[in-house]
Amino acid sequence: MTEQQPRDFLADTPEQWSVTATATPFTGNKTSVRADDVVMPDGSTARRDYQVHPGSVAVVALDERDRAVVIEQYRHPVRHRLWEIPAGLLDIPGENPLHAAQRELYEEAHIKAEDWRVLTDIYTTPGGSDEAVRIFLARELSEADGERYAADGEELDMRLARVPVDDLVRAVLAGRLHNTCLTVGVLALQAARAGEGIDALRPASAPWPARPFPA
């Protein structure tokens, strides 16, 4: 490791180390597991196993009373019901992430929004997965048109609520809420407000190199 001096270097940079062999020992419905033999800086080779993921979108949907839409859903891998923000997979390769986020907000909460911005882009677990998530801020909410989406699976048992942002932040910092997208989303919102403001956030159509999409 080398120590960086304070300057304008603070940005992640694309890089790809040489891979001498690769295999896919497991393929699931939406994701798979890949095993790569990666050449290290000293010339040795190390096996790196990781989940190959299509990517996701998530939405901090904020109403006129400064409440965020949250959903309680059972998550079997962690054996918990987690409070989350509306979110879902990028099921279609190259899909516009804004369109995917709008669809998820409709399907999970039967809500539409007029004002959309990018809150932040994250890699959820870069040591073990290539999942990338774009988290949007949606405002000017109203009930969606048409019939409600027909839920299935874990979604049949979801609970929907609107919770003040300040309450969510306190619950995150107290260790009561653990979902990655909710945690990052509400803290990013607070940081944006304390900094340059919501109007300084990137537009909803901002480029996303982790999951490129047509303009």
Side-chain angles (χ1 to χ4, degrees):
M1 294 179 63
T2 58
E3 184 177 350
Q4 297 277 7
Q5 297 299 315
R7 55 187 175 86
D8 190 19
F9 72 93
L10 201 56
D12 299 331
T13 54
E15 186 169 344
Q16 185 167 314
W17 292 4
S18 296
V19 174
T20 60
T22 188
T24 304
F26 171 79
T27 300
N29 184 32
K30 298 292 185 181
T31 67
S32 60
V33 173
R34 184 173 296 162
D36 289 344
D37 292 336
V38 185
V39 179
M40 299 290 108
D42 63 359
S44 63
T45 301
R47 172 64 59 90
R48 294 291 179 260
D49 303 323
Y50 58 99
Q51 180 193 39
V52 178
H53 194 285
S56 306
V57 290
V59 186
V60 175
L62 200 61
D63 71 12
E64 72 283 356
R65 294 169 55 186
D66 205 41
R67 300 177 303 174
V69 176
V70 291
I71 297 162
E72 187 188 46
Q73 184 171 351
Y74 175 67
R75 294 301 189 183
H76 186 70
V78 295
R79 276 41 169 204
H80 271 72
R81 287 180 179 270
L82 299 181
W83 283 103
E84 307 177 350
I85 55 177
L89 298 176
L90 288 168
D91 294 315
I92 304 170
E95 182 179 18
N96 186 304
L98 174 60
H99 298 166
Q102 291 170 332
R103 181 185 69 241
E104 293 299 334
L105 187 60
Y106 159 72
E107 291 181 357
E108 295 192 349
H110 200 67
I111 288 172
K112 62 182 179 180
E114 298 301 322
D115 184 82
W116 290 82
R117 298 170 188 271
V118 175
L119 262 178
T120 189
D121 300 322
I122 60 172
Y123 291 115
T124 55
T125 49
S129 173
D130 71 349
E131 181 184 12
V133 181
R134 169 157 280 190
I135 303 177
F136 290 92
L137 173 65
R139 298 184 297 172
E140 299 178 25
L141 308 184
S142 61
E143 185 171 352
D145 301 324
E147 296 182 0
R148 287 188 174 272
Y149 177 75
D152 60 6
E154 291 91 345
E155 294 178 350
L156 289 168
D157 197 35
M158 291 195 312
R159 183 160 54 134
L160 184 69
R162 296 193 183 197
V163 179
V165 172
D166 287 344
D167 290 351
L168 291 172
V169 170
R170 281 192 288 269
V172 166
L173 298 180
R176 300 197 304 272
L177 299 176
H178 307 89
N179 175 263
T180 300
C181 292
L182 182 150
T183 299
V184 173
V186 299
L187 295 181
L189 174 60
Q190 292 294 74
R193 287 169 162 173
E196 297 180 6
I198 299 301
D199 289 340
L201 291 171
R202 287 172 292 160
S205 60
W208 188 17
R211 294 294 185 273
F213 58 94

